[in-house]
Amino acid sequence: MSATRMPAPQLPAAPTTSSANTETSAGYKISWKQLFNKLIHFFLSKLVCVDNKRPKQVENLYYNFPISRSHIRLLQLLPHENEDAAIHCRLFCTALDSKGTRPYEALSYVWGSEDKPCSIFINGCNLAVGKNLYAALLHLRDHSIQRTIWIDAICINQGDKEEKGHQVQSMAKIYAKASRVVVWLGEKAAGSDQALEEIRIAAEEEIRIAAELSTRRLDNKAGILTLLQRPWFRRIWVLQEVAAARHILIKCGSAEIDGFAFCSGLNALKLFNELRADLRAQILSVTYLIRGAIFRPKYATNQSDNFSLNIRPLGELIEMYHTREATNRRDKVYALLGMSSDNPTAAGLFADYEISWKELFNKLIHFFLSELVSVDGLSDDKENAVIEGKGCILGEVSSVKRNAIWEDRQDVAITWRNVPSYICVKEAWGFCWTLPTTVKSVQKGDLICLLQGASRPTILRPYNDHWAVIIIAVSPAGDSQATTEDIKWSELLQSITVFPHDFRLEWDWDINPDKQQDKNNHDYFASILVPEHSKTGWEDCLKAATRIRNVRLVLQEVKQYGVAVKNLREETAVLERVLRSMSNLKKTCLGPEDSEKEDAKETRVNQLIEDKGQWTLLCLAAENGHETIIKLLLDTGKVNLHREELQTALWLAEQKGYKAIVKMLRDTGKVNADAKDENGQIALHRAAITGNEVVVQLLFETVEVDLHSKELQKVLHMAAENGQEAVVKLLLDTGKVDADAQDRDGQTALHMAARNG
C-alpha cells in the first residue's frame, strides 16, 4: 500500500502594507547575535572586543603562547573609559634578552588568598584571578592607552611546574629589564591617601628645609603606621623585585608616589622607632633597596649564564630574610637566588617546584656546609634541621656594635683562638668583621666555627647538648676584595686540616635564639631521660650525655667556664639517671645482652673522670645529689680520693641536705665530722644556720654529743637567732640541750626566737 503525500498547508501571504516597514525599522530582520553586539557597544563603546563564543579554556591560552627559557610572556592591558567594565587583555611572547623587546612594566604585589573569585578575559579566555590582583588591574587600566605589563600570576603558566621553575629563575632579570616596577600596596583604606600625601610632602621638605623636619606636626601619624603594616612589606619576593628595579612607582588605590620620594619622606618623618622591632627591620630593608633604584644602570648585565644582582652571599641573605612571608615555603629560598653573589646553581640550587621542601632544605645545607655533614630531622612542614659534623673553633665574638653608617649592618669584634698566627695577621681576616644584621642577632660569646669541608665559617651559640646556628655561612670579606698579593681568605680556610670536635647543630628558622627560653633546666633534661625501670632508651640517654659533653669540651677550650660547668652538671644528671635505672634492672631482669650497656656506662664514667676540667666528679656529684655516681666512685675506687676532696664533697652534700651522700662519705672514715671550714664553722653550725634539719638529724645519729657541751648550746642559739624553727624544735626534742641556757650576752634561745619572729 503506497503512502499518499498530503499537500503542504498554505500560509497566508505577508501583508504589503506599512507593517513590513515597521518590522524593518524595529530591527527584527537582524539576528539576536547582531543586536546583542550593538547593545554591548552602545554601553561600552566601540573600543571593546566582543566574542559571542563561550570562553576558551585557560589551558589553550598558554598552549597557544608557548615560551622557551629565553622568552617571557607580556600582558597588554586594554583601555576602557568605564572603570567598572570587565577587564580585557592580550597576551604575547617576546625574547627577554632581545634589544628590541617592547618596553614593559613589572607588577610587585601580594597574591593573598588562594581563592580566585574574580575573572578577566585574555585573548578570549576567561582567567580566574585573586581579588588583590583584580583590584590592581582596575587601577592600572588607562582610559585610552593600552598598558604593557609583566605579572607573574598571569604571564607564567602556574600549572606547569617546569615552566614556573625556569621563569622564576629569570625573575631578577625580568624586573631588572622592566622600564618601571609598580608596587601595588592594595585598595584604598581609611587614611591611606592622606598618609601617602604626608609622606610626599615630607620628602619635599627634606630637600628644602631638612633642619625643620623634626618639629613638623603630623596630622595622620596613625594612617602612615597602618600603611607600613600592609602585607606587601612582609613578603619575601618584594626584595628581589625592588632590588632589581631601575624606577619604582608605589600605588595604593588611586593614590601613587615615586619610590624614591616615598623612602625620603619616611626617613624625614622619623617614625621607624615607633614600629615593632621585627616590622622596623622589614621596612628598613625594603626602603633601602627602593632608594637605590634610581642609581642602577639602565640595562642590567650579568657576568655569567646565571643572572644575579650580586647583593650578598646566599647564606647571609637567608639569615637576614627567612622570616618573611611566602605562599610557597620553597620561595623563601628561590626568591633570594637572583640576589646572591655566589653561584648556588652550580650546586644544583635553582627554582625547581618538582622537588619537596625537605629535599630543597637538604640541598641548601649541603651547599653551605659540604657533603661531609649529616642532616636529620627534615620535614616538609617545618623549617629546621639537625646537622652533625666534625669541626674546629676559630674564634669567639668579644663585642657587637651597630654599624654607625649602615642600619642593616653590625660590627663584630673577634678574638681568635686555635688559628695559625700567619692567618690572624692577614688583612682579609682582621679582628673586626662588618656583618649584616640577621634575624638571630650575633651576641658576645658566640663562637666562630669551621666545619670540615665548609668553605665559610659558621657562627654558633651553645644550648646544652647542641649548638644553635646564628649565621650558617658568614663572609667577613669577599674574595673579590682580596688583592693579588694577598691570599684569599677562603684559601686560608683550606689550610686548616684539624677538626677535633664533634658538633651537633640545630638550624631552626622558626625559633629565634634571642627569644628562646633557656633550656638549661631540669624539665628539658627530664624529657630526654628514660623511665626508672625501663631497659629501652639507654642508648639515647648515653648519647645525650655524650652530646652535652661535646659542647662542654668546646666551652672549656674557649674558657667559657661558667657555661661549661652548667653543662657538666646536666651531663652528670643524665648519667646518674642511667646508672640508677641500670642498678634497678640488675635486681630484676638484667640479661647477657646488657653487657654492652655496662661497657657504655663504664666508658662515660671514665670520660667524666678524665676530662672533668676544673671540677672533680666527686664534688660535682655530691653537690647535685647524685648518689649512684658517688657509690660507684667509692665502691670501685675510680678516683684517687684525697682527704681534702672528700672533705669538700662532704661539706657540699651537708649544705644541700643530701643525707644518704653525707652518710656514705662519713662511712669512708676519711673525713673529719668536726672539721671547720674557712669561716671556722663545723657541719652542725652550718646546718643550724641554714635550717637543714635533715643534716642535723643525721649528725645527732652518727656523732656523740655532750649535753653540757658549749658547742651544742652554740648550735641551738645559732638556729634560734636565724629563725630556724624546725631545727630548734629538733634540738629541744632530743632533750640534750638546755633551753634556758644563756649566751655571753645573757640571751636564751627563747629570747632570740622571739626577737626574730
Side-chain angles (χ1 to χ4, degrees), residues 303-328:
Q303 299 177 352
S304 66
D305 294 336
N306 302 306
F307 182 91
S308 177
L309 302 173
N310 293 321
I311 293 177
R312 281 191 179 277
L314 182 60
E316 294 182 4
L317 290 172
I318 284 178
E319 297 293 7
M320 294 168 70
Y321 302 128
H322 66 68
T323 57
R324 285 183 168 268
E325 296 175 0
T327 304
N328 188 320

Side-chain angles (χ1 to χ4, degrees), residues 204-217:
E204 287 183 353
E205 292 183 356
E206 185 184 38
I207 298 173
R208 291 190 289 109
I209 46 173
E212 299 179 10
L213 286 176
S214 59
T215 60
R216 184 179 184 277
R217 187 176 69 86

Side-chain angles (χ1 to χ4, degrees), residues 726-738:
V727 174
V728 170
K729 186 177 185 302
L730 178 64
L731 291 169
L732 292 175
D733 288 346
T734 64
K736 296 181 180 181
V737 293
D738 184 0

Side-chain angles (χ1 to χ4, degrees), residues 629-663:
I629 292 179
I630 295 287
K631 187 175 187 305
L632 178 68
L633 294 175
L634 295 177
D635 290 348
T636 61
K638 285 285 183 183
V639 293
N640 186 12
L641 300 178
H642 299 289
R643 186 180 186 88
E644 183 178 342
E645 183 177 346
L646 283 167
Q647 195 71 51
T648 302
L650 176 64
W651 286 342
L652 290 170
E654 288 173 346
Q655 186 178 3
K656 293 295 184 69
Y658 297 130
K659 182 177 179 180
I661 294 177
V662 170
K663 188 175 187 310

